[in-house]
Amino acid sequence: MTMVRRPHPTSPHRGRRHLALLSLLLVVLSMTLGPTPSSAAAGTDWWTPSARPSPDSGINVTGEPFKGTNSAGEVRGFVDAHNHIMANEAFGGRLICGKPYSEAGIADALKDCPEHYPDGSLAIFDYITKGGDGRHDPVGWPTFKDWPAYDSMTHQQNYYAWIERAWRGGQRVLVNDLVTNGVICSVYFFKDRGCDEMTSIRLQARLTYDMQDYIDKQYGGTGKGWFRIVTDSAQAREVIEQGKLAVVLGVETSEPFGCKQILDIPQCDKDDIDAGLDELYDLGVRSMFLCHKFDNALCGVRFDEGGLGTAINVGQFLSTGTFWKTEKCTGPQKDNPIGDASSGAEEDLPAGTEVPEYDEDARCNVRGLTDLGEYAVRGMMQRKMMLEIDHMSVKATGRVLDIFEAEQYPGVLSSHSWMDLNWTERVYSLGGFVSQYMHGSQEFSTEAKRTDALRDKYGVGYGYGTDMNGVGGWPAPRGTGTSNPVTYPFTSVDGGAVIDRQTTGRRTWDLNTDGAAHYGLVPDWIEDIRLVGGQDVVDDLFRGAESYLGTWVASESHQAGVNLAKGRSATASSSESNPFTSYAPGRAVDGDTGTRWASDWNDDQWLRIDLGSTQTVQRVTLDWERAYGKSYRVELSTDGTSWRTAWSTASGDGGLDTARFGATPARYVRVHGLDRGTDWGYSLNEVGVYSR
């Protein structure tokens, strides 16, 4: 989920004073975020159901969905890498109103929350996110006077027939991120269930499978519908080749596995992480976030800015007892300035407690990937899952990318523009996949073109993250007065379908005047991108399905390299003396990252590893302790006497370094320090040597 960037009104009424913290918290934290036979039964077209509910929404697309592959054997189609179909079940069940489907029909599915009747007076979250007084016509089917709308963030946008229209318009991958936030649930006035995050995740997963069954029944039975939940890349490829929609389950929640931190003390352990990952995997989840909005026991977050950032910071303190802490960034990536804008949320802090002041130049979170977070990352790798880096702090993201580079693991995703774009090439070089938030066509096209050269370099496609039901806001109408409005009907990107204005009940939507009001308007938005940004942007999006599957299959087929250095003999120029522990050279090759080799406090120092016999070497990983090498070389030798430099750097910054070079025969590997990065010596937790 993302967040609303809009001013919030202040109310003169005493009853709404407490909304200051609640409103900003909800807006920010939520970003985390049998049918009856139809009398007009379809013919034999495989894409048209024989038992669509009646009445129901129109699809307003004609023509057969494309199947198969292109001449290069690649699948085609658009990828929505970030959506929240079941968010109406999150946050206590009354934040997002309406359902994506109902066995009782569309009138039951697309109705407002009970407290919104008769005129929206108690639509508190609508008041918070949209402004005004929250009043609106609560009636959904069949009139839809006020919702769904591009700026109405409390109403269902993912009705199944609208998703069907997006599929018919060319989408072939949809990632359904199961989402919730326990803090939002606890502070929101209306709820009909408890706030445990994992309980909500389980429910949303089950209901996604139920929705698949609901659609299957329209097409004659199990496995026959177009909505196919997939759990591996081979399944996904088969589904897409059949012309159907591959649905992937993901998770975006703030405290996965209960991994909250209170006063910097984790509320989970490794057993909780293993059990949680196993459970999610068994549910079919194949991608997930490890942190979102609040610092948790796994990682620090990328900040929000200004008054909104202040509100989240207050919320974090009230939930965890800690405020964000910042430091100067060491590279071009940044976590955003928090700012000191007043949000009204400060009034809810305990007496004598104040929000810290932050230096404008200190824009990075001091909290990175914790030891438990690293354990979770490696657990995801073992299970061949893909990791979402959006919302992670710069420090956490850098460590994740270091780990993935050291292990040559490609399973990294950025799904909705919450990654600093300076990470883009590292993601692509690993084999990862990048999507952009569903911005307006002009903004989307401009951002896409900023990274176009990198996509050309790595030969990859592009995705979008609609984040619908995620309380983020969607493209506003450009208006019919523009020089190049969407003209209805238009032809799909593949040329095989004709797409007209979408009608549900008595309401017909037009992207030019209504904006991206619901999921059924995704094809219209893509046509708008073609008109504004050009065919090249849309072509990159149409290659998205193949690229996403490329990341997934590479993750599944990844094999951990054999560390040739583990347990081998090691010597060094020196070892720091300590009466309580050993910093001997062998500590850097014992397979335990909790031990280390440390040298004397001088620049010219080395660590030498004997592999036991001559091996082909082409990769060395160095996991530095705080005392790192700023300038050092990786040297190779077959006899321990004659050395050649295989790799060197003069700009080391610590952390986990990976040195890659051409395949070279060597029995001995030497890390030769030339210039220290600190006043201490050189200290390595572990050195890995690999043949690939």
Side-chain angles (χ1 to χ4, degrees), residues 72-88:
E74 299 170 331
V75 296
R76 301 156 293 161
F78 304 120
V79 174
D80 181 355
H82 194 103
N83 189 22
H84 302 292
I85 297 176
M86 295 294 170
N88 57 291

Side-chain angles (χ1 to χ4, degrees), residues 1 25-26 92 137 151 153 225 282 294 300 318 335 348 442 468 477 480 530 559 564 635 654 660 666 669:
M1 303 179 89
L25 252 183
L26 290 175
D137 181 355
D151 58 351
M153 298 169 211
D282 289 344
F294 289 167
L318 294 175
D335 284 331
D348 290 273
Q442 183 62 63
M468 286 204 172
T480 54
R530 186 187 69 81
Q559 296 294 324
L564 304 174
E635 301 168 334
R660 289 189 177 86
V669 177

Side-chain angles (χ1 to χ4, degrees), residues 300-556:
V301 294
R302 194 170 189 227
F303 305 135
D304 290 271
E305 301 182 50
L308 201 55
T310 300
I312 302 176
N313 201 10
V314 169
Q316 170 165 306
F317 177 84
L318 294 175
S319 177
T320 70
T322 62
F323 289 108
W324 287 329
K325 297 178 183 178
T326 66
E327 63 186 4
K328 290 187 177 181
C329 304
T330 57
Q333 296 85 7
K334 296 178 173 38
D335 284 331
N336 298 320
I338 299 174
D340 57 0
S342 175
S343 67
E346 301 92 325
E347 298 175 9
D348 290 273
L349 288 170
T353 304
E354 296 182 356
V355 178
E357 294 185 3
Y358 295 96
D359 188 338
E360 175 67 21
D361 293 332
R363 296 178 60 176
C364 281
N365 195 336
V366 301
R367 187 185 293 266
L369 192 68
T370 67
D371 289 343
L372 285 174
E374 183 159 335
Y375 185 82
V377 168
R378 296 188 182 277
M380 291 182 67
M381 292 170 59
Q382 292 168 5
R383 293 164 178 82
K384 314 298 185 183
M385 297 171 74
M386 295 176 285
L387 174 64
E388 294 267 12
I389 58 174
D390 283 6
H391 292 299
M392 273 189 173
S393 69
V394 163
K395 184 175 285 188
T397 303
R399 180 66 179 181
V400 165
L401 295 178
D402 285 346
I403 292 170
F404 281 8
E405 287 166 351
E407 300 291 341
Q408 298 184 309
Y409 188 73
V412 57
L413 305 172
S414 173
S415 62
H416 67 329
S417 297
W418 261 90
M419 170 191 76
D420 189 305
L421 283 182
N422 288 297
W423 293 122
T424 303
E425 182 157 19
R426 287 186 72 181
V427 172
Y428 283 150
S429 66
L430 277 165
F433 185 77
V434 175
S435 296
Q436 184 191 156
Y437 186 79
M438 190 184 185
H439 296 121
S441 55
Q442 183 62 63
E443 184 178 354
F444 188 94
S445 300
T446 299
E447 184 172 325
K449 290 174 181 179
R450 286 176 60 188
T451 53
D452 180 65
L454 287 175
R455 288 193 296 280
D456 287 345
K457 177 179 177 179
Y458 291 95
V460 296
Y462 201 38
Y464 49 81
T466 61
D467 203 13
M468 286 204 172
N469 287 359
V471 200
W474 297 276
R478 288 200 296 126
T480 54
T482 61
S483 60
N484 55 347
V486 172
T487 301
Y488 294 92
F490 59 89
T491 303
S492 62
V493 174
D494 66 290
V498 176
I499 303 170
D500 208 341
R501 292 176 179 84
Q502 199 283 317
T503 296
T504 303
R506 300 175 198 162
R507 176 77 185 272
T508 297
W509 281 271
D510 182 322
L511 188 82
N512 301 299
T513 54
D514 297 311
H518 61 67
Y519 208 86
L521 296 174
V522 168
D524 313 51
W525 170 72
I526 292 172
E527 171 68 2
D528 204 38
I529 289 173
R530 186 187 69 81
L531 295 169
V532 171
Q535 188 66 41
D536 287 349
V537 179
V538 176
D539 288 346
D540 276 2
L541 289 172
F542 204 55
R543 289 192 290 269
E546 181 64 38
S547 287
Y548 182 88
L549 292 189
T551 296
W552 195 357
V553 70
S555 303
E556 291 171 328

Side-chain angles (χ1 to χ4, degrees), residues 84-94 96 98-101 176-180 185 191-212 229 249-251 253 279-280 283-285:
H84 302 292
I85 297 176
M86 295 294 170
N88 57 291
E89 304 293 346
F91 319 112
R94 298 270 280 276
I96 306 296
K99 308 172 188 175
Y101 79 98
N176 178 30
D177 280 319
L178 314 174
V179 64
T180 192
C185 176
K191 61 180 72 70
D192 55 22
R193 65 198 66 176
C195 295
D196 179 72
E197 292 191 356
M198 292 303 292
T199 298
S200 179
I201 295 303
R202 295 180 193 107
L203 173 63
Q204 292 176 52
R206 178 177 63 79
L207 290 175
T208 307
Y209 285 99
D210 289 349
M211 180 167 149
Q212 177 178 251
I229 299 171
L249 297 185
V251 166
T253 194
E279 179 183 12
L280 291 179
L283 288 173
V285 171

Side-chain angles (χ1 to χ4, degrees), residues 205 208-210 212 227-231 235 245-249 284:
T208 307
Y209 285 99
D210 289 349
Q212 177 178 251
F227 184 94
R228 312 304 324 147
I229 299 171
V230 295
T231 56
Q235 278 185 334
L245 179 69
V247 179
V248 185
L249 297 185

Side-chain angles (χ1 to χ4, degrees), residues 640-657:
T641 301
S642 301
W643 297 89
R644 63 178 296 269
T645 298
W647 185 91
S648 65
T649 183
S651 56
D653 58 0
L656 181 57
D657 290 344

